[in-house]
């Protein structure tokens, strides 16, 4: 059995026959919600990018011809919704931006937006006229609001609607906060910052060509600071409906174990996996705790490679967060809190759905 460790492209996963735990029923749940503009956070490497890719391939009107190949045998393939393959998809991924300075961040943010807009024009070229001229205009435009408006006007002429997907919406903001530069953060996100301008223009687009938005990240900090300019999102992070949308329930984990065909007693293995990778509950009314999918897939991927129990239980790709922890505990109060978590293996705190930089 091929395990999809590190695979974030849904099409690749399905065409190359990787093991897939079917989460497509949540596409139907999300589509039937009253709100069209959704916000959803989960920890790093928890399957967010793969789920966005799943949404993309389901709604992309360019994927009609391969719908059966991609979704046959899955819940949503047997129960398609009325909006399948109905949208232009506009995807933004804000990971990897340069946060060395405000100017470099602004430049890399613009380039990311530009790349996404050009990708949309290329992908749906047959629906537009004068694509090369528009691309040339975009490359010479440095105002984010104007760039988006140019593409809005082009899309409006087609009579089609757009589904916007935003991955790692807060990645660069977390990098700024980790280095302790509050002034940098405020100038970029708040007041007349270019990030707020970008989201305000998305809100404007929601009145014409943007029909749906699904955005993900790892923290709600920046969302609160964008509220004045972007107050249309519904935060579903702690909704019991989506508690198990990402991550593996124990039932799903057992299915994985049986397909991997590990030569060991299932009950002993389950005890080990519960101890190391289980325990996530994202809603007080959630029906089941979920296992960290990256950790589980890394564990079994290593086992398949060496043919025995892995020596390392922590995925090396998660260790990049250790540097952030080191910077955070330069503050004595933060260090005391971290020590409490380590020694007591728990911490009692109020859970809030959003909070601003000032209240952090």
């Amino acid at each position: 059995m091929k395990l999809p460790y590190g695979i974030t492209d849904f099409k690749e996963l399905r065409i190359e026959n990787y093991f897939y735990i079917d989460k497509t029923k949540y596409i139907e749940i999300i589509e039937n919600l009253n709100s069209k503009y959704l916000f959803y956070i989960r920890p790093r490497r928890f399957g967010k990018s793969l789920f966005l890719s799943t949404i993309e391939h389901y709604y992309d009107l360019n994927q009609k011809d391969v719908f059966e190949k991609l979704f046959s045998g899955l819940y949503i393939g047997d129960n398609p919704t009325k909006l399948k393959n109905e949208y232009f998809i506009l995807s933004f991924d804000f990971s990897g931006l340069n946060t060395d300075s405000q100017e470099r961040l602004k430049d890399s943010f613009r380039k990311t937006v530009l790349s996404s807009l050009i990708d949309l024009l290329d992908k749906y070229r047959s629906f537009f006229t004068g694509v090369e001229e528009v691309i040339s205009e975009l490359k010479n435009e440095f105002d984010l609001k104007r760039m988006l408006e140019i593409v809005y006007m082009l899309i409006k002429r087609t009579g089609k609607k757009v589904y916007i997907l935003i991955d790692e919406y807060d990645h660069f903001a977390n990098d700024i906060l980790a280095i302790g530069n509050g002034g940098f953060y405020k100038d970029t996100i708040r007041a007349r910052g270019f990030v707020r301008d970008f989201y305000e223009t998305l809100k404007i687009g929601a009145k014409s060509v943007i029909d749906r938005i699904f955005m993900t990240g790892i923290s709600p900090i920046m969302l609160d600071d964008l509220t004045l300019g972007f107050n249309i999102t519904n935060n579903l992070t702690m909704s019991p409906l989506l508690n198990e949308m990402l991550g593996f329930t124990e039932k799903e984990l057992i299915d994985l174990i049986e397909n991997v065909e590990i030569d060991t007693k299932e009950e002993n293995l389950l005890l080990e996996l519960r101890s190391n990778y289980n325990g996530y509950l994202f809603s007080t009314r959630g029906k089941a705790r979920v296992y960290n999918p990256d950790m589980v897939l890394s564990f079994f991927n290593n086992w398949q490679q060496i043919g025995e129990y892995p020596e390392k239980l922590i995925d090396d790709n998660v260790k990049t967060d250790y540097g952030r922890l080191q910077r955070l505990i330069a503050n004595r109060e933060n260090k005391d809190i971290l020590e409490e978590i380590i020694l007591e293996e728990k911490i009692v705190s109020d859970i809030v759905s959003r909070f601003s930089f000032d209240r952090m």
Side-chain angles (χ1 to χ4, degrees):
M1 174 59 63
K2 292 168 66 176
L3 296 179
Y5 171 69
I7 303 295
T8 59
D9 185 328
F10 177 74
K11 191 172 188 176
E12 177 188 355
L13 185 149
R14 293 292 289 168
I15 288 177
E16 297 190 15
N17 295 314
Y18 283 92
F19 180 77
Y20 178 65
I21 289 179
D22 188 1
K23 297 287 188 176
T24 60
K25 69 177 182 179
Y26 291 101
I27 293 177
E28 180 183 61
I29 291 172
I30 288 170
E31 185 175 313
N32 290 333
L33 293 172
N34 291 328
S35 177
K36 293 183 176 184
Y37 313 115
L38 307 177
F39 175 74
Y40 185 78
I41 66 173
R42 284 297 182 265
R44 285 186 66 247
R45 301 188 67 83
F46 218 83
K48 298 186 294 297
S49 297
L50 175 59
F51 188 74
L52 285 180
S53 179
T54 308
I55 292 176
E56 175 182 353
H57 287 89
Y58 180 76
Y59 287 107
D60 187 350
L61 55 81
N62 272 354
Q63 301 293 327
K64 280 184 179 180
D65 294 341
V66 293
F67 180 84
E68 288 299 322
K69 186 165 189 151
L70 296 181
F71 293 97
S72 177
L74 301 181
Y75 174 87
I76 204 69
D78 298 331
N79 303 276
T81 65
K82 63 180 181 179
L83 295 178
K84 78 177 181 72
N85 302 126
E86 280 294 313
Y87 294 105
F88 292 149
I89 302 295
L90 177 54
S91 298
F92 298 102
D93 181 350
F94 291 120
S95 62
L97 299 188
N98 189 325
T99 56
D100 290 344
S101 68
Q102 292 185 39
E103 282 305 311
R104 288 184 179 180
L105 175 58
K106 186 174 183 178
D107 181 60
S108 59
F109 192 93
R110 176 193 167 273
K111 286 178 179 176
T112 296
V113 173
L114 174 63
S115 176
S116 295
L117 294 176
I118 291 176
D119 184 58
L120 179 142
L121 296 176
D122 276 336
K123 191 166 23 173
Y124 306 108
R125 185 178 286 265
S126 61
F127 292 88
F128 306 123
T129 57
V131 170
E132 292 305 324
E133 291 82 356
V134 173
I135 290 177
S136 178
E137 185 179 358
L138 289 172
K139 288 180 177 178
N140 291 303
E141 180 59 62
F142 289 85
D143 182 82
L144 290 172
K145 183 176 180 180
R146 178 59 187 155
M147 288 167 64
L148 287 166
E149 288 173 344
I150 290 169
V151 176
Y152 289 169
M153 286 188 289
L154 202 62
I155 293 171
K156 194 171 183 179
R157 294 174 196 154
T158 69
K160 299 293 183 181
K161 294 286 187 177
V162 179
Y163 199 134
I164 289 187
L165 303 174
I166 303 176
D167 199 9
E168 303 276 9
Y169 97 105
D170 59 338
H171 190 280
F172 61 93
N174 291 322
D175 280 346
I176 296 170
L177 292 173
I179 61 177
N181 195 333
F184 185 176
Y185 176 88
K186 291 178 181 179
D187 291 343
T188 303
I189 311 300
R190 296 181 175 180
R192 298 176 184 175
F194 62 88
V195 175
R196 173 169 282 185
D197 286 345
F198 169 78
Y199 282 98
E200 284 181 348
T201 311
L202 290 189
K203 183 180 177 181
I204 293 169
K207 298 176 182 177
S208 56
V209 298
I210 298 172
D211 191 53
R212 290 174 179 268
I213 299 173
F214 193 91
M215 56 192 294
T216 71
I218 64 169
S219 79
I221 300 170
M222 200 173 84
L223 183 70
D224 196 74
D225 288 324
L226 290 173
T227 297
L228 292 177
F230 192 63
N231 57 356
I232 59 175
T233 56
N234 182 9
N235 188 349
L236 295 173
T237 298
M238 296 192 290
S239 167
L241 281 174
L242 306 183
N243 180 65
E244 298 107 51
M245 186 169 81
L246 301 184
F248 301 153
T249 64
E250 188 148 300
K251 183 175 180 297
E252 291 167 338
L253 181 66
I254 291 172
D255 186 28
L256 171 61
I257 292 172
E258 291 173 352
N259 277 275
V260 173
E261 298 178 345
I262 293 295
D263 186 21
T264 188
K265 288 186 178 180
E266 183 177 292
E267 59 271 23
N268 293 340
L269 182 57
L270 274 174
L271 286 172
E272 188 72 23
L273 294 173
R274 281 185 199 132
S275 174
N276 288 291
Y277 308 134
N278 194 17
Y280 291 85
L281 192 65
F282 297 101
S283 170
T284 55
R285 291 180 290 165
K287 293 180 180 178
R289 293 182 177 273
V290 290
Y291 290 75
N292 183 305
D294 175 83
M295 294 291 192
V296 168
L297 290 172
S298 175
F299 177 86
F300 284 117
N301 186 57
N302 286 329
W303 195 323
Q304 281 188 332
Q305 289 177 4
I306 63 177
E308 59 185 42
Y309 193 94
E311 182 179 346
K312 292 183 178 180
L313 298 181
I314 302 296
D315 180 8
D316 284 340
N317 288 310
V318 177
K319 290 182 180 178
T320 56
D321 280 349
Y322 290 1
R324 285 180 177 171
L325 282 175
Q326 286 178 327
R327 288 191 290 270
L328 284 171
I329 62 172
N331 176 300
R332 180 69 223 181
E333 183 180 357
N334 290 351
K335 187 174 183 180
D336 291 342
I337 291 171
L338 184 60
E339 286 180 352
E340 179 185 346
I341 294 171
I342 294 169
L343 295 173
E344 303 296 330
E345 297 190 350
K346 65 181 180 180
I347 187 168
V348 177
S349 176
D350 292 332
I351 301 295
V352 294
S353 60
R354 57 201 298 162
F355 52 92
S356 70
F357 170 77
D358 294 326
R359 294 172 54 208
M360 188 171 62

